[in-house]
Amino acid sequence: MSTSIRRLNGSTGRAAVSAGEGTLSYHVGAGEKGAVVLVGFLRRPYALREAVAMTVDEAWDHIEDWLRANAPATHAELPPPAGADKIRAAQGAVGCAFPPELTASLARHDGSGGFVLPPLHRLHGTRLIVAEYRAYRRADQERSPEEPTWWDARWIPLADDGCGNSLFLSQTPGPSFGRIGDHAKDGGGSFPEDGTPTSLGAFLESTARGLQDGLWGAYESYVDEDGFLEWREPDADLVVAWDMREMNRRYGFG
């Protein structure tokens, strides 16, 4: 890791780290006995990481290994696989074939249980996919014909944030086919371009890499004393000593 900071007492900016690895946002000031203190966190752009796509099973392998080693309580809450009959029954109830990535994920875990994918979504299992699909269809059919479509029959419920908002997988022919969409409880579905993973496979892969790196976008993984994982926004008011040896050890530089 290399950096150059020339001004103290409230200077802010970005410090370069090893070539291609990312940037470190910082706020520095004079600490005790002239020591430099640092406020900030390492950001590693996904585009600069190793560009090797994982399969759904490979992503789950990485996720499970990390949880087993670092958040055992959350690992214990992962659901068992959904059997082939259960997946077929869910597809029949929805009236739409599931994308291969969703089938592969359900065959690994029937939802995500207590495991929250960043920043706050839990994957649906087969039962909840069907229940949510039916609820969304009823709600859409009860709207007046003049209102815009609130739910498309070819959207498959994928996950929820616990606050009434959810993610879905589109099976609508055209540009949105296979994409993850964002469904707001008050506004219906959309396909934001704000960094939301474009597919379930990409979502699982970015989660695996986020666990490995300790960061997913603006969120960092945190494990409490009981072994449960959650995702938090870094505390901008936290002041830590800038210990280069510890930084190198933690982030694998040098």
Side-chain angles (χ1 to χ4, degrees):
M1 173 182 285
S2 64
T3 185
S4 173
I5 296 179
R6 304 187 180 192
R7 295 186 303 168
L8 301 180
N9 301 322
S11 297
T12 60
R14 299 165 73 83
V17 294
S18 296
E21 290 294 335
T23 56
L24 185 68
S25 299
Y26 66 85
H27 176 94
V28 296
E32 294 182 3
K33 299 180 181 179
V36 174
V37 293
L38 168 73
V39 179
F41 53 93
L42 185 70
R43 290 183 179 275
R44 297 186 184 184
Y46 286 109
L48 298 181
R49 298 190 188 129
E50 186 180 3
V52 177
M54 300 178 188
T55 66
V56 166
D57 277 321
E58 288 170 341
W60 271 119
D61 282 341
H62 286 286
I63 291 169
E64 290 171 12
D65 289 346
W66 192 95
L67 292 176
R68 189 181 296 110
N70 298 282
T74 294
H75 180 269
E77 292 188 344
L78 287 172
D85 290 346
K86 208 171 190 180
I87 295 173
R88 280 195 295 269
Q91 291 180 102
V94 170
C96 180
F98 290 170
E101 289 181 331
L102 177 57
T103 301
S105 184
L106 290 169
R108 191 68 179 254
H109 295 289
D110 195 7
S112 63
F115 172 50
V116 177
L117 280 72
L120 39 74
H121 285 98
R122 297 178 193 268
L123 294 177
H124 294 334
T126 49
R127 181 192 62 78
L128 197 51
I129 288 174
V130 173
E132 291 291 280
Y133 181 83
R134 289 172 172 168
Y136 285 135
R137 288 291 287 148
R138 283 196 301 270
D140 190 54
Q141 290 165 357
E142 290 170 0
R143 295 163 67 86
S144 68
E146 292 77 23
E147 294 182 271
T149 300
W150 188 74
W151 182 263
D152 190 293
R154 291 161 294 188
W155 291 349
I156 301 171
L158 177 65
D160 71 84
D161 66 359
C163 299
N165 307 302
S166 60
L167 301 177
F168 61 88
L169 279 172
S170 173
Q171 292 297 281
T172 304
S176 70
F177 185 83
R179 289 193 59 188
I180 289 180
D182 188 2
H183 192 271
K185 61 181 179 180
D186 298 324
S190 62
F191 297 91
E193 302 293 343
D194 61 354
T196 302
T198 56
S199 68
L200 175 56
F203 194 12
L204 290 170
E205 178 176 358
S206 71
T207 298
R209 295 189 185 279
L211 288 171
Q212 177 184 326
D213 294 349
L215 285 172
W216 188 92
Y219 295 85
E220 59 185 8
S221 57
Y222 172 81
V223 179
D224 66 20
E225 60 185 11
D226 296 317
F228 289 98
L229 167 74
E230 62 181 277
W231 296 91
R232 293 181 173 181
E233 291 187 90
D235 187 348
D237 295 323
L238 179 65
V239 177
V240 297
W242 192 5
D243 184 333
M244 289 300 296
R245 181 177 298 177
E246 175 61 16
M247 294 288 282
N248 286 338
R249 183 198 66 77
R250 180 175 180 184
Y251 295 110
F253 298 116

